[in-house]
Amino acid sequence: MLALAPMRSLPLALVGLALAVAAACGKPKMTVAPTPPAPAAAPHSLIPAPISFTATGAAPFTVTPRTRIIVNDREAVGVATFLARLIAAAPSAAISVELIEAGPLPEDAFVLQLRPGAAMAAEGYTLASTATQVVITASHPAGLFYGVQTLRQLLPAAVEHEWLRRKTLSVPAVSITDAPRFAWRGAMLDVARHFFGVEEVTRLLDLMALHKMNRLHLHLADDQGWRIEIDSWPNLTRHGGGTEVGGGPGGFYTKAQFAEIVRYAADRFITIVPEIDMPGHTNAALASYAELNCDGVAPPLFTGIEVGFSTLCAESDATYRFVDDVVREIGAMTPGRYFHIGGDEVKKLTPAQYEHFVKRAEAIVGRYGKTMIGWDEVAALKLDPGSIIQYWRPGAPKGELGQTGNVIFSPANKLYLDMKYTRATAIGLDWAGRIEVRDGYDWDPATMVPGVTEAAILGVEGPLWTETVARRADLDYLVFPRLAGIAEIGWTPQAQRNWESYRLRLAAQAPRWTALGINFYRSPQVPWVE
């Protein structure tokens, strides 16, 4: 019997002969599978997708040495400066920013217009590009900033690398109207399990800004480390900040460093949300101050990853003096109106003790003018109106989840960025499942939990817990590309989201992310552009 070589190894001229011989030998005819059609091109490669996008077909706008940036309001100057740095041909080049409050708009210009009375959402914008102008209009500076991020994605990817920028930049002729679906579009970084310094945090803020995200939740304390300087309890960082998972050196932010992070975030219209997890996840604090322990004995520092073994003493006056001081000092450093108290995985207190602690902590947070956020365990209690519940346990009781009408969605089986992509992923965990790119994108918060309507959802947030994340490259790999999907879930109306469009737009991000130096996961679900 004649053995046939695989079809791909035969010269083209012999294919017909091979088929004939196969037929003569009584074998089924060999067939060549048709080449699958190339996916239809997406109308644009913007992430998040805007509400309305029209390519007008007119000539593009081209940046020339005469191009300038015009603003009509001093509040727009900061956004204009961001744009000027982005489009400069080199770091030393200068693009002029000019204030023209009234009169005709000049040609050969980017125009950023604030219209406070305009009938558009606070974070919404319009963008119109012609051969002579690019005009972004918004009712609030945040809207202008998000319009600039859209403009940024319309420019070639080389604009992201300051030494590779083209001398000629062009913007396609388009008309865009846009506004976000949800007010809360966030990420969370756990700096307690492994510490990440100011440079890593500000880099993450830059990448969030590119995707129109507006909340960075910093998990500042846990069993493995205390990461924020507290003047009234200095041993928290002096002792409790000195290690991390695996016994590394740890670290902490001085108040000046934390102020730098807050300021950097504010310049990108991102609010820093501080979290001090309590009454559990507190071993670093307990090891630093014996009086926070019911038995008055400070435990040793902890470098493992187990949970549920630590708790503040719920009946002790020292505990609430500690909570008051911590909330007061951190609250004074964060102009945002939120303070996250954690409240999760508390296994050492009775339900009555847990309720007593959370209600006292909620009152302390309110006394300093902040809104309390807690992980969804706090939903079992009767909370004050306005307090926020962060939903993370897909199997948790749902009955009281919407009681305050303020829910942040972070379901672990969809949005936890520390979960592995596949069984082969070298870092990350998989207790909540493995989350490939489509798993993290292709769902709707408004239909996930019965009784929690879209009106009760503040938005979405992707947490990155860092038990296995020790380097910037690790952070990049687990966060990207999934963070882009979270951004689109938070921004784009559900009716305008679909996986097939998204995967093509996501594929087009590869050159931009490469220029930005992101070590992203190249999912086989996405036809990446090389």
Side-chain angles (χ1 to χ4, degrees):
M1 184 176 292
L2 180 64
L4 295 179
M7 185 66 76
R8 64 179 178 272
S9 68
L10 286 172
L12 185 60
L14 298 180
V15 170
L17 176 61
L19 291 173
V21 172
C25 295
K27 297 294 184 183
K29 288 186 177 181
M30 298 178 67
T31 60
V32 180
T35 302
H44 59 77
S45 58
L46 301 175
I47 295 178
I51 290 175
S52 170
F53 177 96
T54 302
T56 67
F61 175 85
T62 300
V63 179
T64 74
R66 299 180 304 279
T67 299
R68 45 194 173 149
I69 301 172
I70 306 300
V71 298
N72 71 331
D73 191 300
R74 293 187 185 280
E75 283 195 75
V77 170
V79 178
T81 302
F82 182 98
L83 175 59
R85 288 197 299 265
L86 179 70
I87 63 175
S92 59
I95 302 288
S96 68
V97 175
E98 301 174 27
L99 175 65
I100 301 178
E101 296 179 323
L105 296 174
E107 295 186 349
D108 197 6
F110 292 95
V111 180
L112 306 184
Q113 298 185 123
L114 274 179
R115 298 281 184 252
M120 62 175 65
E123 294 180 302
Y125 67 93
T126 62
L127 187 155
S129 174
T130 68
T132 58
Q133 291 176 335
V134 177
V135 181
I136 301 175
T137 305
S139 63
H140 186 276
L144 286 182
F145 184 77
Y146 298 133
V148 166
Q149 300 314 309
T150 296
L151 170 62
R152 180 179 177 182
Q153 291 190 32
L154 293 170
L155 291 167
V159 78
E160 306 295 350
H161 195 301
E162 60 188 20
W163 295 110
L164 296 179
R165 290 176 187 162
R166 300 177 184 176
K167 292 183 178 179
T168 301
L169 295 176
S170 294
V171 181
V174 298
S175 176
I176 297 172
T177 300
D178 206 5
R181 178 186 184 186
F182 293 120
W184 192 290
R185 306 176 305 280
M188 188 216 80
L189 178 61
D190 167 19
V191 295
R193 271 48 176 265
H194 280 101
F195 181 65
F196 287 87
V198 172
E199 182 179 352
E200 284 85 2
V201 175
T202 53
R203 178 174 178 270
L204 178 58
L205 288 166
D206 280 332
L207 299 177
M208 290 173 62
L210 172 62
H211 297 90
K212 303 184 178 72
M213 303 184 85
N214 65 354
R215 303 285 189 273
L216 178 60
H217 168 181
L218 289 176
H219 186 79
L220 292 165
D222 212 296
D223 291 315
Q224 298 85 353
W226 186 282
R227 308 303 183 199
I228 180 69
E229 195 172 45
I230 304 295
D231 292 339
S232 52
W233 297 76
N235 215 38
L236 290 170
T237 48
R238 187 181 299 146
H239 181 66
T243 193
E244 59 189 10
V245 167
F252 63 91
Y253 307 118
T254 66
K255 285 193 169 183
Q257 289 172 326
F258 193 72
E260 179 183 349
I261 291 171
V262 170
R263 182 170 56 251
Y264 196 91
D267 286 345
R268 287 149 184 78
F269 298 91
I270 297 173
T271 299
I272 296 296
V273 180
E275 180 190 356
I276 300 296
D277 206 345
M278 48 187 170
H281 290 273
T282 47
N283 193 80
L286 300 174
S288 301
Y289 286 96
E291 62 264 42
L292 299 178
N293 298 269
C294 285
D295 61 4
V297 177
L301 293 171
F302 177 69
T303 60
I305 63 171
E306 294 81 10
V307 300
F309 63 90
S310 63
T311 183
L312 296 168
C313 189
E315 287 84 17
S316 169
D317 289 340
T319 289
Y320 300 104
R321 178 167 51 85
F322 164 78
V323 173
D324 191 282
D325 287 338
V326 167
V327 172
R328 172 178 53 80
E329 291 197 34
I330 294 177
M333 290 187 281
T334 50
R337 62 187 182 89
Y338 310 103
F339 194 100
H340 204 307
I341 68 158
D344 60 312
E345 298 178 317
V346 180
K347 301 178 181 179
K348 295 293 187 179
L349 296 181
T350 67
Q353 289 173 321
Y354 178 75
E355 180 174 13
H356 175 72
F357 178 88
V358 170
K359 293 302 293 180
R360 286 197 65 172
E362 183 181 47
I364 291 169
V365 170
R367 187 158 64 245
Y368 289 106
K370 303 295 182 181
T371 297
M372 187 196 81
I373 308 173
W375 297 106
D376 63 38
E377 285 90 336
V378 304
L381 312 178
K382 182 64 176 175
L383 300 175
D384 292 343
S387 288
I388 297 169
I389 299 166
Q390 188 161 3
Y391 167 60
W392 72 280
R393 297 176 299 164
K398 309 296 194 303
E400 300 300 323
L401 192 60
Q403 62 169 290
T404 66
N406 296 298
V407 183
I408 300 167
F409 267 64
S410 299
N413 61 341
K414 297 291 184 183
L415 296 192
Y416 266 34
L417 295 168
D418 55 307
M419 294 298 108
K420 294 185 175 188
Y421 293 99
T422 69
R423 191 184 303 275
T425 305
I427 54 174
L429 304 172
D430 60 7
W431 59 264
R434 289 181 284 275
I435 305 175
E436 247 291 2
V437 175
R438 183 169 186 173
D439 301 321
Y441 174 83
D442 207 3
W443 64 284
D444 181 8
T447 61
M448 174 167 274
V449 178
V452 180
T453 65
E454 180 150 349
I457 301 172
L458 287 181
V460 292
E461 180 178 294
L464 179 67
W465 304 99
T466 60
E467 288 94 335
T468 68
V469 181
R471 303 173 304 155
R472 175 186 290 184
D474 302 337
L475 187 155
D476 281 3
Y477 190 77
L478 290 177
V479 168
F480 281 92
R482 291 182 291 198
L483 192 74
I486 296 168
E488 180 150 306
I489 293 168
W491 183 279
T492 305
Q494 180 64 25
Q496 292 174 241
R497 291 203 301 118
N498 71 82
W499 166 249
E500 289 306 320
S501 165
Y502 176 71
R503 68 190 285 267
L504 297 180
R505 289 182 286 111
L506 187 63
Q509 306 308 309
R512 190 172 305 275
W513 291 353
T514 299
L516 286 165
I518 301 173
N519 178 41
F520 63 95
Y521 164 63
R522 291 179 177 267
S523 169
Q525 296 180 338
V526 179
W528 298 103
V529 174
E530 298 297 338

